[in-house]
Amino acid sequence: TQIHVWHEGQDLHVNQHSSFKGRTSVDITKLKHGDISLKLSKVKHSDRGIYRCYFPDLDKETTVQLVVGSISQAVVKLVGIDQSISGVVLQCESAGWYPEPELLWLDGEGNLLSAGPTETLRGPDDLYTVSSRVTVEKRHSNNITCRVQQRNTNQSRETHIHVPVDFFGTPCSSGSCIAISLTACVMSVLVLIFAVWKNKHKTTMIRQQENLYHTMNQKMKDDMTKLSEELQKKEEEQKKIVETLMGHKKDLKEEEDKFKLQLMKMEEVVEVSEMELHSMEQDKGSSSAPSLNLKKKVLECKWSVNDTVTASEKLVLSIEKLLQYIKTVASPDQSIESDQTEDSTLISEEEKQK
């Protein structure tokens, strides 16, 4: 595969492999001093292998092997305690390695520790993840090292952890271990029973609350229906009262008109009688006796008319007051509106309680 060509002071990219385009270069200033080093940027794992440098004019060549690798830091954490041997369980994990590395455990003096098998996973990006666990006893000292290394690239990473003395307990006898295990089991059962009881009690409370809510909701619906029926009944009764009063209003109006007409006729009769009396007094040929009698009758009629007028005025005033009252009662919008407002307030309060 052709990677880079330098000919007569310039780069030739005609036959360059597509995977190396834009990633290779040589330094012109160094070429003057005989340094023909090739610079490869954005190195990938696929770039590993043997590279050949060839001089056609001298017919000489040389090779070099490129090793490509990836490294990463390791993470150590405490994952458990082994009471049977008075030890602690540590786990070490490191991701992002290439090629596949190996994992070692070391004590404070640099001695290898016997650990479990190393688990290796290879991801879709071809990078490796390694992990391992080790049980450390108090005799191994408190300082433990996890080392991840790759021999081909001569790369390694170490992570140190210090385990406090308090973490190392005293080993228990078989009897005490059994007692501790039984105690733990009993406690677990008690906790489980309590959890089940609490869950059942909670379910019962929820059901009671739901039943109470449905009962109150149904009661409020019934009350609202009853209020609506009573309001409708009240409106119908008021309509009947209004219709009756409107009928009385019409009759009173007709009586008032008839009374006013009779009053006008009586006033006309009095006025005619007065004119006749005045004409007779001017007639010298008439006797005084009939004139006095007629005059007396006219005065009596006039007094009667005046009394009737006074009574009629009182009656008209009473009729007008009655008509005004009927008009007020016949316009029940305000009273009905106040009743509806009161009923709406009651319904709103019930909605808030709901």
Side-chain angles (χ1 to χ4, degrees), residues 5 9 31 64 92 131 134 156 175 194 218 232 256 261 268 291 300 319 339:
V5 176
L31 285 174
V64 63
C92 179
S131 63
V134 66
S156 66
F194 176 75
Q218 186 63 36
Q232 185 175 2
E256 180 186 10
L261 182 61
E268 290 177 358
S291 176
E300 290 177 353
I319 291 174
D339 294 338

Side-chain angles (χ1 to χ4, degrees), residues 85 94 251 259:
I85 60 173
S94 183
D251 296 339
F259 185 77

Side-chain angles (χ1 to χ4, degrees), residues 43-46 48 68-72 94-101 120-130:
V43 179
K44 300 180 291 184
H45 292 153
S46 59
R48 67 185 182 278
V68 181
S70 298
I71 61 176
S72 178
S94 183
W97 284 82
Y98 187 88
E100 182 181 352
T120 304
L121 297 176
R122 188 173 183 177
D125 53 359
D126 290 335
L127 297 180
Y128 291 89
T129 299
V130 291

Side-chain angles (χ1 to χ4, degrees), residues 107-260:
D107 61 11
E109 298 176 355
N111 300 319
L112 287 174
L113 296 176
S114 177
T118 301
E119 296 182 2
T120 304
L121 297 176
R122 188 173 183 177
D125 53 359
D126 290 335
L127 297 180
Y128 291 89
T129 299
V130 291
S131 63
S132 175
R133 289 191 177 187
V134 66
T135 301
V136 180
E137 301 179 35
K138 189 174 182 180
R139 59 184 176 85
H140 292 139
S141 77
N142 298 25
N143 297 317
I144 305 299
T145 301
C146 175
R147 178 187 295 171
V148 183
Q149 61 185 18
Q150 215 294 319
R151 297 184 183 277
N152 294 338
T153 60
N154 197 24
Q155 296 290 329
S156 66
R157 290 289 184 271
E158 294 183 352
T159 300
H160 307 279
I161 184 172
H162 176 77
V163 182
V165 180
D166 298 340
F167 278 55
F168 297 98
T170 56
C172 62
S173 61
S174 58
S176 60
C177 288
I178 293 174
I180 293 173
S181 300
L182 289 176
T183 303
C185 291
V186 171
M187 291 298 294
S188 300
V189 172
L190 291 176
V191 170
L192 180 61
I193 293 175
F194 176 75
V196 172
W197 174 82
K198 187 175 181 181
N199 187 27
K200 185 177 180 180
H201 180 69
K202 184 178 180 181
T203 304
T204 304
M205 291 295 293
I206 292 175
R207 288 179 180 176
Q208 291 178 354
Q209 291 178 358
E210 289 178 352
N211 293 334
L212 180 61
Y213 170 77
H214 289 310
T215 302
M216 293 180 63
N217 190 21
Q218 186 63 36
K219 185 177 182 302
M220 283 188 288
K221 287 182 179 180
D222 296 339
D223 292 342
M224 290 178 66
T225 303
K226 185 176 179 180
L227 285 173
S228 179
E229 293 176 354
E230 291 179 355
L231 181 61
Q232 185 175 2
K233 184 178 180 181
K234 185 176 180 181
E235 290 178 352
E236 292 177 355
E237 292 177 353
Q238 197 150 3
K239 285 182 180 179
K240 292 180 180 179
I241 295 174
V242 170
E243 291 175 357
T244 304
L245 290 175
M246 291 300 293
H248 290 324
K249 176 183 177 181
K250 184 178 179 181
D251 296 339
L252 288 173
K253 186 67 176 176
E254 292 177 355
E255 292 296 329
E256 180 186 10
D257 293 339
K258 291 180 181 179
F259 185 77
K260 287 182 178 180

